[in-house]
């Protein structure tokens, strides 16, 4: 491994932290997974062929490390209250969230609890496919490979998972067609009074 590649990988740490923070609110978890990914990237640096940009390659390693940790947590059957899973990149949810402050913090905690309850309504394979595609931004071929699915089966699973999640979230008052206007729907009163 050359010193220049090691320095380039080290320079990517802020980007890796940003990527992981977008997917998890647990700062300790983020630091751990980024450190693991950096170590793996440094160990695998001699195998980097240059077919992609170094940043793309390192972020791919980070994604895989994140998935490994989530799978491990899932196998250990952690209580829903103990898990701080990523909830970023949910563009299909169409509602407004305050940018910062205590109201945002309260909404984040409430949203995490509701989101996790809704996620439990999906089958295990739907949960995995949904999280890999929507939260980790993995390509369809990567998700298919990891879950042993055909692409058409993946798209059906994702469609059903999104529809189910949307319905469940709306039943809990989140989204444009929310049934309970007291939680996070557009034009609704604030969560924290």
């Amino acid at each position: 491994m050359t010193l220049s590649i090691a320095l380039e990988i080290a320079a990517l740490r802020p980007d890796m932290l940003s990527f992981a923070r977008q997917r998890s609110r647990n700062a300790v978890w983020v630091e751990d997974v980024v450190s693991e990914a950096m170590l793996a990237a440094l160990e695998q640096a001699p195998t980097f062929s240059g077919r992609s940009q170094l940043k793309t390659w390192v972020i791919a390693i980070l994604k895989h490390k994140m998935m490994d940790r989530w799978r491990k947590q899932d196998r250990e059957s952690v209580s829903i209250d103990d898990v701080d899973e990523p909830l970023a990149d949910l563009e299909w949810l169409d509602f407004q969230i305050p940018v910062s402050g205590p109201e945002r913090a309260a909404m984040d905690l409430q949203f995490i609890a509701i989101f996790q309850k809704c996620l439990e309504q999906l089958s295990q394979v739907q949960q995995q496919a949904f999280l890999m595609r929507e939260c980790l931004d993995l390509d369809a071929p990567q998700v298919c490979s990891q879950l042993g699915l055909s692409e058409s089966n993946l798209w059906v699973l994702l469609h059903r998972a999104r529809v189910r999640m949307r319905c469940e979230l709306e039943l809990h008052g989140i989204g444009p067609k929310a049934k309970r206007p007291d939680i996070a729907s557009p034009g609704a009163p604030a969560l924290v009074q």
Side-chain angles (χ1 to χ4, degrees), residues 166-183:
R166 183 182 300 254
C167 290
E168 290 293 325
L169 288 168
E170 287 173 350
L171 286 174
H172 285 87
I174 297 174
K177 297 177 186 172
K179 303 296 182 213
R180 286 182 19 202
D182 58 326
I183 304 175

Side-chain angles (χ1 to χ4, degrees), residues 95-96 98 103 107 173-175 178 180-193:
F95 63 96
Q96 301 295 316
E103 184 177 78
M107 287 178 70
I174 297 174
R180 286 182 19 202
D182 58 326
I183 304 175
S185 58
L191 286 174
V192 180
Q193 299 294 335

Side-chain angles (χ1 to χ4, degrees), residues 59-69 71 138 142 146:
I59 294 295
I61 291 172
L62 176 60
K63 285 180 183 181
H64 288 282
K65 289 294 179 184
M66 292 170 75
M67 285 302 300
D68 290 345
R69 281 191 158 228
R71 276 192 216 103
L138 293 181
Q142 289 175 306
Q146 293 209 9

Side-chain angles (χ1 to χ4, degrees), residues 16-40:
M16 294 170 73
L17 286 168
S18 174
F19 180 87
R21 282 184 189 126
Q22 289 174 357
R23 286 148 180 85
S24 177
R25 288 172 175 77
N26 184 330
V28 173
W29 187 92
V30 166
E31 286 290 334
D32 287 347
V33 77
V34 167
S35 295
E36 282 180 30
M38 284 190 68
L39 182 61

Side-chain angles (χ1 to χ4, degrees), residues 1-8 42 45-46:
M1 173 176 62
T2 66
L3 181 60
S4 65
I5 290 180
L7 291 174
E8 288 180 55
L42 290 170

